[in-house]
Amino acid sequence: MPRPEVLERITEAENEADDIVAEAKEDREQRISEARETAEELRAEAEEEARELEEKRLAEAREEIEAEREKLLAEGEKEREQLEGRAEGNVEDTIEFVLDRFKEAVHAQT
């Protein structure tokens, strides 16, 4: 094979190799770009899921707190009613006691 043909084939092979390398670099950059986009999408999805989960848990906690509050209020109301009932029952006894003491004090002075 004559020398000019060999040089021409070498040049063609080098050009072809340069084209392959350039194409591979472009392909690599495209894949990196796609991977970044995918990672960003996944991050955004994860953040949204975390926000939704946080909102759900917060709503559940509020419901539990409200239920506990209602329970405590009901128990407090019941206890108040019981105390009022006992106090009303003690009014007569207290009046009688005070009158007895008053009578004793009056008799003691006479």
Side-chain angles (χ1 to χ4, degrees), residues 26-57:
E26 285 178 25
D27 186 49
R28 181 190 71 185
E29 293 302 320
Q30 179 66 31
R31 288 180 188 220
I32 289 172
S33 177
E34 289 173 0
R36 285 185 178 139
E37 288 176 17
T38 301
E40 179 60 27
E41 289 171 5
L42 290 172
R43 186 195 59 76
E45 287 175 14
E47 283 181 355
E48 181 61 27
E49 287 176 13
R51 248 188 312 276
E52 289 173 2
L53 182 60
E54 178 184 17
E55 288 173 9
K56 179 183 174 187
R57 288 186 177 166

PDB file of all heavy atoms in Angstrom, residues 26-57:
ATOM      1  N   GLU A  26     -20.589  14.088  24.317  1.00  0.00           N
ATOM      2  CA  GLU A  26     -21.949  14.624  24.228  1.00  0.00           C
ATOM      3  C   GLU A  26     -22.942  13.686  24.914  1.00  0.00           C
ATOM      4  O   GLU A  26     -23.825  14.139  25.647  1.00  0.00           O
ATOM      5  CB  GLU A  26     -22.355  14.815  22.760  1.00  0.00           C
ATOM      6  CG  GLU A  26     -21.715  15.997  22.083  1.00  0.00           C
ATOM      7  CD  GLU A  26     -22.129  16.108  20.620  1.00  0.00           C
ATOM      8  OE1 GLU A  26     -23.217  15.606  20.252  1.00  0.00           O
ATOM      9  OE2 GLU A  26     -21.360  16.705  19.849  1.00  0.00           O
ATOM     10  N   ASP A  27     -22.759  12.395  24.665  1.00  0.00           N
ATOM     11  CA  ASP A  27     -23.637  11.395  25.283  1.00  0.00           C
ATOM     12  C   ASP A  27     -23.491  11.442  26.808  1.00  0.00           C
ATOM     13  O   ASP A  27     -24.483  11.400  27.540  1.00  0.00           O
ATOM     14  CB  ASP A  27     -23.301   9.995  24.753  1.00  0.00           C
ATOM     15  CG  ASP A  27     -24.281   8.954  25.246  1.00  0.00           C
ATOM     16  OD1 ASP A  27     -25.499   9.177  25.139  1.00  0.00           O
ATOM     17  OD2 ASP A  27     -23.812   7.907  25.757  1.00  0.00           O
ATOM     18  N   ARG A  28     -22.251  11.552  27.289  1.00  0.00           N
ATOM     19  CA  ARG A  28     -21.995  11.638  28.729  1.00  0.00           C
ATOM     20  C   ARG A  28     -22.662  12.876  29.329  1.00  0.00           C
ATOM     21  O   ARG A  28     -23.340  12.805  30.345  1.00  0.00           O
ATOM     22  CB  ARG A  28     -20.492  11.674  28.997  1.00  0.00           C
ATOM     23  CG  ARG A  28     -20.171  11.750  30.490  1.00  0.00           C
ATOM     24  CD  ARG A  28     -18.731  12.025  30.736  1.00  0.00           C
ATOM     25  NE  ARG A  28     -18.498  13.423  30.346  1.00  0.00           N
ATOM     26  CZ  ARG A  28     -17.328  14.006  30.327  1.00  0.00           C
ATOM     27  NH1 ARG A  28     -16.253  13.328  30.636  1.00  0.00           N
ATOM     28  NH2 ARG A  28     -17.188  15.255  29.982  1.00  0.00           N
ATOM     29  N   GLU A  29     -22.510  14.027  28.666  1.00  0.00           N
ATOM     30  CA  GLU A  29     -23.115  15.264  29.157  1.00  0.00           C
ATOM     31  C   GLU A  29     -24.641  15.153  29.169  1.00  0.00           C
ATOM     32  O   GLU A  29     -25.289  15.627  30.108  1.00  0.00           O
ATOM     33  CB  GLU A  29     -22.668  16.461  28.313  1.00  0.00           C
ATOM     34  CG  GLU A  29     -21.205  16.806  28.438  1.00  0.00           C
ATOM     35  CD  GLU A  29     -20.794  17.121  29.866  1.00  0.00           C
ATOM     36  OE1 GLU A  29     -21.563  17.793  30.578  1.00  0.00           O
ATOM     37  OE2 GLU A  29     -19.710  16.669  30.277  1.00  0.00           O
ATOM     38  N   GLN A  30     -25.178  14.520  28.151  1.00  0.00           N
ATOM     39  CA  GLN A  30     -26.637  14.328  28.082  1.00  0.00           C
ATOM     40  C   GLN A  30     -27.107  13.435  29.230  1.00  0.00           C
ATOM     41  O   GLN A  30     -28.096  13.739  29.889  1.00  0.00           O
ATOM     42  CB  GLN A  30     -27.024  13.713  26.730  1.00  0.00           C
ATOM     43  CG  GLN A  30     -28.508  13.462  26.572  1.00  0.00           C
ATOM     44  CD  GLN A  30     -29.330  14.742  26.551  1.00  0.00           C
ATOM     45  OE1 GLN A  30     -28.870  15.783  26.110  1.00  0.00           O
ATOM     46  NE2 GLN A  30     -30.552  14.660  27.069  1.00  0.00           N
ATOM     47  N   ARG A  31     -26.383  12.367  29.488  1.00  0.00           N
ATOM     48  CA  ARG A  31     -26.747  11.456  30.581  1.00  0.00           C
ATOM     49  C   ARG A  31     -26.624  12.140  31.944  1.00  0.00           C
ATOM     50  O   ARG A  31     -27.468  11.958  32.822  1.00  0.00           O
ATOM     51  CB  ARG A  31     -25.884  10.201  30.538  1.00  0.00           C
ATOM     52  CG  ARG A  31     -26.254   9.288  29.394  1.00  0.00           C
ATOM     53  CD  ARG A  31     -25.386   8.066  29.375  1.00  0.00           C
ATOM     54  NE  ARG A  31     -25.632   7.292  28.166  1.00  0.00           N
ATOM     55  CZ  ARG A  31     -25.694   5.979  28.127  1.00  0.00           C
ATOM     56  NH1 ARG A  31     -25.519   5.285  29.222  1.00  0.00           N
ATOM     57  NH2 ARG A  31     -25.911   5.366  27.000  1.00  0.00           N
ATOM     58  N   ILE A  32     -25.575  12.927  32.102  1.00  0.00           N
ATOM     59  CA  ILE A  32     -25.407  13.661  33.363  1.00  0.00           C
ATOM     60  C   ILE A  32     -26.563  14.641  33.545  1.00  0.00           C
ATOM     61  O   ILE A  32     -27.130  14.752  34.631  1.00  0.00           O
ATOM     62  CB  ILE A  32     -24.043  14.390  33.394  1.00  0.00           C
ATOM     63  CG1 ILE A  32     -22.913  13.370  33.544  1.00  0.00           C
ATOM     64  CG2 ILE A  32     -23.992  15.428  34.510  1.00  0.00           C
ATOM     65  CD1 ILE A  32     -21.517  13.958  33.384  1.00  0.00           C
ATOM     66  N   SER A  33     -26.918  15.337  32.483  1.00  0.00           N
ATOM     67  CA  SER A  33     -28.026  16.291  32.544  1.00  0.00           C
ATOM     68  C   SER A  33     -29.338  15.581  32.898  1.00  0.00           C
ATOM     69  O   SER A  33     -30.102  16.049  33.745  1.00  0.00           O
ATOM     70  CB  SER A  33     -28.159  17.015  31.199  1.00  0.00           C
ATOM     71  OG  SER A  33     -29.260  17.870  31.219  1.00  0.00           O
ATOM     72  N   GLU A  34     -29.576  14.450  32.258  1.00  0.00           N
ATOM     73  CA  GLU A  34     -30.786  13.674  32.541  1.00  0.00           C
ATOM     74  C   GLU A  34     -30.784  13.163  33.983  1.00  0.00           C
ATOM     75  O   GLU A  34     -31.817  13.181  34.654  1.00  0.00           O
ATOM     76  CB  GLU A  34     -30.913  12.508  31.559  1.00  0.00           C
ATOM     77  CG  GLU A  34     -31.265  12.935  30.157  1.00  0.00           C
ATOM     78  CD  GLU A  34     -31.212  11.791  29.154  1.00  0.00           C
ATOM     79  OE1 GLU A  34     -30.898  10.635  29.547  1.00  0.00           O
ATOM     80  OE2 GLU A  34     -31.474  12.043  27.964  1.00  0.00           O
ATOM     81  N   ALA A  35     -29.623  12.723  34.467  1.00  0.00           N
ATOM     82  CA  ALA A  35     -29.515  12.234  35.841  1.00  0.00           C
ATOM     83  C   ALA A  35     -29.785  13.370  36.838  1.00  0.00           C
ATOM     84  O   ALA A  35     -30.467  13.168  37.845  1.00  0.00           O
ATOM     85  CB  ALA A  35     -28.128  11.635  36.087  1.00  0.00           C
ATOM     86  N   ARG A  36     -29.289  14.552  36.531  1.00  0.00           N
ATOM     87  CA  ARG A  36     -29.546  15.709  37.407  1.00  0.00           C
ATOM     88  C   ARG A  36     -31.040  16.050  37.433  1.00  0.00           C
ATOM     89  O   ARG A  36     -31.599  16.345  38.488  1.00  0.00           O
ATOM     90  CB  ARG A  36     -28.728  16.907  36.954  1.00  0.00           C
ATOM     91  CG  ARG A  36     -27.272  16.783  37.312  1.00  0.00           C
ATOM     92  CD  ARG A  36     -26.497  18.030  36.969  1.00  0.00           C
ATOM     93  NE  ARG A  36     -25.108  17.858  37.389  1.00  0.00           N
ATOM     94  CZ  ARG A  36     -24.060  18.240  36.689  1.00  0.00           C
ATOM     95  NH1 ARG A  36     -24.232  18.850  35.536  1.00  0.00           N
ATOM     96  NH2 ARG A  36     -22.841  18.049  37.139  1.00  0.00           N
ATOM     97  N   GLU A  37     -31.655  16.023  36.260  1.00  0.00           N
ATOM     98  CA  GLU A  37     -33.093  16.302  36.183  1.00  0.00           C
ATOM     99  C   GLU A  37     -33.883  15.263  36.974  1.00  0.00           C
ATOM    100  O   GLU A  37     -34.807  15.608  37.719  1.00  0.00           O
ATOM    101  CB  GLU A  37     -33.560  16.319  34.729  1.00  0.00           C
ATOM    102  CG  GLU A  37     -33.106  17.530  33.952  1.00  0.00           C
ATOM    103  CD  GLU A  37     -33.498  17.461  32.480  1.00  0.00           C
ATOM    104  OE1 GLU A  37     -34.382  16.658  32.121  1.00  0.00           O
ATOM    105  OE2 GLU A  37     -32.916  18.225  31.690  1.00  0.00           O
ATOM    106  N   THR A  38     -33.510  14.003  36.802  1.00  0.00           N
ATOM    107  CA  THR A  38     -34.195  12.932  37.536  1.00  0.00           C
ATOM    108  C   THR A  38     -34.000  13.096  39.036  1.00  0.00           C
ATOM    109  O   THR A  38     -34.951  12.956  39.814  1.00  0.00           O
ATOM    110  CB  THR A  38     -33.667  11.556  37.072  1.00  0.00           C
ATOM    111  OG1 THR A  38     -33.898  11.412  35.662  1.00  0.00           O
ATOM    112  CG2 THR A  38     -34.353  10.431  37.815  1.00  0.00           C
ATOM    113  N   ALA A  39     -32.777  13.419  39.442  1.00  0.00           N
ATOM    114  CA  ALA A  39     -32.497  13.614  40.870  1.00  0.00           C
ATOM    115  C   ALA A  39     -33.318  14.779  41.412  1.00  0.00           C
ATOM    116  O   ALA A  39     -33.865  14.704  42.515  1.00  0.00           O
ATOM    117  CB  ALA A  39     -31.001  13.863  41.083  1.00  0.00           C
ATOM    118  N   GLU A  40     -33.431  15.852  40.654  1.00  0.00           N
ATOM    119  CA  GLU A  40     -34.213  17.011  41.087  1.00  0.00           C
ATOM    120  C   GLU A  40     -35.699  16.644  41.208  1.00  0.00           C
ATOM    121  O   GLU A  40     -36.365  17.046  42.158  1.00  0.00           O
ATOM    122  CB  GLU A  40     -34.030  18.172  40.111  1.00  0.00           C
ATOM    123  CG  GLU A  40     -34.808  19.416  40.461  1.00  0.00           C
ATOM    124  CD  GLU A  40     -34.462  20.000  41.815  1.00  0.00           C
ATOM    125  OE1 GLU A  40     -33.329  19.819  42.296  1.00  0.00           O
ATOM    126  OE2 GLU A  40     -35.340  20.647  42.408  1.00  0.00           O
ATOM    127  N   GLU A  41     -36.195  15.884  40.260  1.00  0.00           N
ATOM    128  CA  GLU A  41     -37.593  15.440  40.317  1.00  0.00           C
ATOM    129  C   GLU A  41     -37.824  14.559  41.548  1.00  0.00           C
ATOM    130  O   GLU A  41     -38.826  14.720  42.251  1.00  0.00           O
ATOM    131  CB  GLU A  41     -37.968  14.684  39.041  1.00  0.00           C
ATOM    132  CG  GLU A  41     -38.074  15.567  37.813  1.00  0.00           C
ATOM    133  CD  GLU A  41     -38.240  14.761  36.521  1.00  0.00           C
ATOM    134  OE1 GLU A  41     -38.360  13.519  36.583  1.00  0.00           O
ATOM    135  OE2 GLU A  41     -38.250  15.386  35.447  1.00  0.00           O
ATOM    136  N   LEU A  42     -36.903  13.641  41.799  1.00  0.00           N
ATOM    137  CA  LEU A  42     -37.028  12.766  42.960  1.00  0.00           C
ATOM    138  C   LEU A  42     -36.968  13.562  44.263  1.00  0.00           C
ATOM    139  O   LEU A  42     -37.730  13.302  45.189  1.00  0.00           O
ATOM    140  CB  LEU A  42     -35.927  11.697  42.952  1.00  0.00           C
ATOM    141  CG  LEU A  42     -36.041  10.620  41.869  1.00  0.00           C
ATOM    142  CD1 LEU A  42     -34.787   9.753  41.867  1.00  0.00           C
ATOM    143  CD2 LEU A  42     -37.285   9.784  42.078  1.00  0.00           C
ATOM    144  N   ARG A  43     -36.073  14.537  44.328  1.00  0.00           N
ATOM    145  CA  ARG A  43     -35.966  15.383  45.505  1.00  0.00           C
ATOM    146  C   ARG A  43     -37.263  16.159  45.735  1.00  0.00           C
ATOM    147  O   ARG A  43     -37.787  16.222  46.845  1.00  0.00           O
ATOM    148  CB  ARG A  43     -34.801  16.359  45.372  1.00  0.00           C
ATOM    149  CG  ARG A  43     -34.541  17.180  46.646  1.00  0.00           C
ATOM    150  CD  ARG A  43     -33.642  18.383  46.380  1.00  0.00           C
ATOM    151  NE  ARG A  43     -34.182  19.300  45.411  1.00  0.00           N
ATOM    152  CZ  ARG A  43     -35.168  20.172  45.643  1.00  0.00           C
ATOM    153  NH1 ARG A  43     -35.751  20.218  46.815  1.00  0.00           N
ATOM    154  NH2 ARG A  43     -35.581  20.986  44.701  1.00  0.00           N
ATOM    155  N   ALA A  44     -37.807  16.726  44.656  1.00  0.00           N
ATOM    156  CA  ALA A  44     -39.053  17.487  44.774  1.00  0.00           C
ATOM    157  C   ALA A  44     -40.203  16.578  45.220  1.00  0.00           C
ATOM    158  O   ALA A  44     -41.013  16.965  46.068  1.00  0.00           O
ATOM    159  CB  ALA A  44     -39.383  18.160  43.437  1.00  0.00           C
ATOM    160  N   GLU A  45     -40.264  15.379  44.674  1.00  0.00           N
ATOM    161  CA  GLU A  45     -41.301  14.421  45.073  1.00  0.00           C
ATOM    162  C   GLU A  45     -41.150  14.036  46.542  1.00  0.00           C
ATOM    163  O   GLU A  45     -42.134  13.961  47.277  1.00  0.00           O
ATOM    164  CB  GLU A  45     -41.239  13.164  44.200  1.00  0.00           C
ATOM    165  CG  GLU A  45     -41.732  13.363  42.790  1.00  0.00           C
ATOM    166  CD  GLU A  45     -41.548  12.131  41.920  1.00  0.00           C
ATOM    167  OE1 GLU A  45     -41.280  11.033  42.456  1.00  0.00           O
ATOM    168  OE2 GLU A  45     -41.658  12.267  40.682  1.00  0.00           O
ATOM    169  N   ALA A  46     -39.918  13.794  46.961  1.00  0.00           N
ATOM    170  CA  ALA A  46     -39.667  13.418  48.352  1.00  0.00           C
ATOM    171  C   ALA A  46     -40.056  14.560  49.296  1.00  0.00           C
ATOM    172  O   ALA A  46     -40.649  14.323  50.353  1.00  0.00           O
ATOM    173  CB  ALA A  46     -38.193  13.046  48.548  1.00  0.00           C
ATOM    174  N   GLU A  47     -39.738  15.785  48.912  1.00  0.00           N
ATOM    175  CA  GLU A  47     -40.111  16.932  49.738  1.00  0.00           C
ATOM    176  C   GLU A  47     -41.627  17.051  49.842  1.00  0.00           C
ATOM    177  O   GLU A  47     -42.165  17.318  50.915  1.00  0.00           O
ATOM    178  CB  GLU A  47     -39.520  18.225  49.168  1.00  0.00           C
ATOM    179  CG  GLU A  47     -38.055  18.402  49.452  1.00  0.00           C
ATOM    180  CD  GLU A  47     -37.504  19.698  48.891  1.00  0.00           C
ATOM    181  OE1 GLU A  47     -38.240  20.436  48.192  1.00  0.00           O
ATOM    182  OE2 GLU A  47     -36.326  19.987  49.147  1.00  0.00           O
ATOM    183  N   GLU A  48     -42.320  16.853  48.731  1.00  0.00           N
ATOM    184  CA  GLU A  48     -43.783  16.934  48.739  1.00  0.00           C
ATOM    185  C   GLU A  48     -44.382  15.826  49.606  1.00  0.00           C
ATOM    186  O   GLU A  48     -45.299  16.076  50.388  1.00  0.00           O
ATOM    187  CB  GLU A  48     -44.325  16.847  47.303  1.00  0.00           C
ATOM    188  CG  GLU A  48     -45.820  16.942  47.205  1.00  0.00           C
ATOM    189  CD  GLU A  48     -46.393  18.256  47.721  1.00  0.00           C
ATOM    190  OE1 GLU A  48     -45.683  19.282  47.699  1.00  0.00           O
ATOM    191  OE2 GLU A  48     -47.549  18.252  48.169  1.00  0.00           O
ATOM    192  N   GLU A  49     -43.857  14.627  49.478  1.00  0.00           N
ATOM    193  CA  GLU A  49     -44.339  13.521  50.312  1.00  0.00           C
ATOM    194  C   GLU A  49     -44.094  13.807  51.790  1.00  0.00           C
ATOM    195  O   GLU A  49     -44.954  13.532  52.636  1.00  0.00           O
ATOM    196  CB  GLU A  49     -43.661  12.207  49.904  1.00  0.00           C
ATOM    197  CG  GLU A  49     -44.152  11.651  48.584  1.00  0.00           C
ATOM    198  CD  GLU A  49     -43.395  10.405  48.153  1.00  0.00           C
ATOM    199  OE1 GLU A  49     -42.658   9.815  48.977  1.00  0.00           O
ATOM    200  OE2 GLU A  49     -43.547  10.005  46.983  1.00  0.00           O
ATOM    201  N   ALA A  50     -42.931  14.369  52.097  1.00  0.00           N
ATOM    202  CA  ALA A  50     -42.615  14.699  53.490  1.00  0.00           C
ATOM    203  C   ALA A  50     -43.567  15.773  54.010  1.00  0.00           C
ATOM    204  O   ALA A  50     -44.036  15.693  55.145  1.00  0.00           O
ATOM    205  CB  ALA A  50     -41.161  15.172  53.598  1.00  0.00           C
ATOM    206  N   ARG A  51     -43.863  16.775  53.176  1.00  0.00           N
ATOM    207  CA  ARG A  51     -44.801  17.821  53.571  1.00  0.00           C
ATOM    208  C   ARG A  51     -46.191  17.243  53.828  1.00  0.00           C
ATOM    209  O   ARG A  51     -46.843  17.575  54.818  1.00  0.00           O
ATOM    210  CB  ARG A  51     -44.890  18.888  52.478  1.00  0.00           C
ATOM    211  CG  ARG A  51     -44.326  20.223  52.849  1.00  0.00           C
ATOM    212  CD  ARG A  51     -44.608  21.302  51.820  1.00  0.00           C
ATOM    213  NE  ARG A  51     -44.333  20.953  50.443  1.00  0.00           N
ATOM    214  CZ  ARG A  51     -43.154  21.038  49.854  1.00  0.00           C
ATOM    215  NH1 ARG A  51     -42.122  21.447  50.532  1.00  0.00           N
ATOM    216  NH2 ARG A  51     -43.000  20.718  48.596  1.00  0.00           N
ATOM    217  N   GLU A  52     -46.637  16.370  52.939  1.00  0.00           N
ATOM    218  CA  GLU A  52     -47.950  15.753  53.095  1.00  0.00           C
ATOM    219  C   GLU A  52     -48.004  14.901  54.365  1.00  0.00           C
ATOM    220  O   GLU A  52     -48.994  14.933  55.098  1.00  0.00           O
ATOM    221  CB  GLU A  52     -48.285  14.904  51.869  1.00  0.00           C
ATOM    222  CG  GLU A  52     -48.573  15.723  50.633  1.00  0.00           C
ATOM    223  CD  GLU A  52     -48.736  14.875  49.378  1.00  0.00           C
ATOM    224  OE1 GLU A  52     -48.666  13.624  49.467  1.00  0.00           O
ATOM    225  OE2 GLU A  52     -48.928  15.454  48.302  1.00  0.00           O
ATOM    226  N   LEU A  53     -46.945  14.140  54.614  1.00  0.00           N
ATOM    227  CA  LEU A  53     -46.893  13.311  55.815  1.00  0.00           C
ATOM    228  C   LEU A  53     -46.897  14.180  57.069  1.00  0.00           C
ATOM    229  O   LEU A  53     -47.592  13.875  58.039  1.00  0.00           O
ATOM    230  CB  LEU A  53     -45.649  12.415  55.791  1.00  0.00           C
ATOM    231  CG  LEU A  53     -45.484  11.451  56.958  1.00  0.00           C
ATOM    232  CD1 LEU A  53     -46.666  10.487  57.044  1.00  0.00           C
ATOM    233  CD2 LEU A  53     -44.188  10.664  56.817  1.00  0.00           C
ATOM    234  N   GLU A  54     -46.151  15.267  57.034  1.00  0.00           N
ATOM    235  CA  GLU A  54     -46.110  16.183  58.171  1.00  0.00           C
ATOM    236  C   GLU A  54     -47.502  16.765  58.435  1.00  0.00           C
ATOM    237  O   GLU A  54     -47.953  16.821  59.582  1.00  0.00           O
ATOM    238  CB  GLU A  54     -45.117  17.309  57.892  1.00  0.00           C
ATOM    239  CG  GLU A  54     -45.032  18.348  58.988  1.00  0.00           C
ATOM    240  CD  GLU A  54     -44.121  19.502  58.647  1.00  0.00           C
ATOM    241  OE1 GLU A  54     -43.790  19.693  57.458  1.00  0.00           O
ATOM    242  OE2 GLU A  54     -43.757  20.237  59.572  1.00  0.00           O
ATOM    243  N   GLU A  55     -48.181  17.186  57.377  1.00  0.00           N
ATOM    244  CA  GLU A  55     -49.522  17.746  57.523  1.00  0.00           C
ATOM    245  C   GLU A  55     -50.487  16.698  58.075  1.00  0.00           C
ATOM    246  O   GLU A  55     -51.315  17.009  58.944  1.00  0.00           O
ATOM    247  CB  GLU A  55     -50.023  18.278  56.183  1.00  0.00           C
ATOM    248  CG  GLU A  55     -49.321  19.551  55.736  1.00  0.00           C
ATOM    249  CD  GLU A  55     -49.709  19.970  54.326  1.00  0.00           C
ATOM    250  OE1 GLU A  55     -50.648  19.382  53.746  1.00  0.00           O
ATOM    251  OE2 GLU A  55     -49.065  20.898  53.802  1.00  0.00           O
ATOM    252  N   LYS A  56     -50.368  15.473  57.590  1.00  0.00           N
ATOM    253  CA  LYS A  56     -51.244  14.400  58.058  1.00  0.00           C
ATOM    254  C   LYS A  56     -51.013  14.134  59.540  1.00  0.00           C
ATOM    255  O   LYS A  56     -51.966  14.035  60.324  1.00  0.00           O
ATOM    256  CB  LYS A  56     -50.985  13.129  57.248  1.00  0.00           C
ATOM    257  CG  LYS A  56     -51.819  11.952  57.665  1.00  0.00           C
ATOM    258  CD  LYS A  56     -51.464  10.709  56.870  1.00  0.00           C
ATOM    259  CE  LYS A  56     -52.218   9.507  57.409  1.00  0.00           C
ATOM    260  NZ  LYS A  56     -51.803   8.255  56.801  1.00  0.00           N
ATOM    261  N   ARG A  57     -49.752  14.024  59.926  1.00  0.00           N
ATOM    262  CA  ARG A  57     -49.429  13.755  61.339  1.00  0.00           C
ATOM    263  C   ARG A  57     -49.861  14.908  62.229  1.00  0.00           C
ATOM    264  O   ARG A  57     -50.344  14.706  63.346  1.00  0.00           O
ATOM    265  CB  ARG A  57     -47.945  13.479  61.506  1.00  0.00           C
ATOM    266  CG  ARG A  57     -47.547  12.128  60.958  1.00  0.00           C
ATOM    267  CD  ARG A  57     -46.112  11.806  61.247  1.00  0.00           C
ATOM    268  NE  ARG A  57     -45.788  10.470  60.773  1.00  0.00           N
ATOM    269  CZ  ARG A  57     -44.553  10.029  60.657  1.00  0.00           C
ATOM    270  NH1 ARG A  57     -43.534  10.785  60.999  1.00  0.00           N
ATOM    271  NH2 ARG A  57     -44.334   8.806  60.216  1.00  0.00           N
TER     272      ARG A  57
END
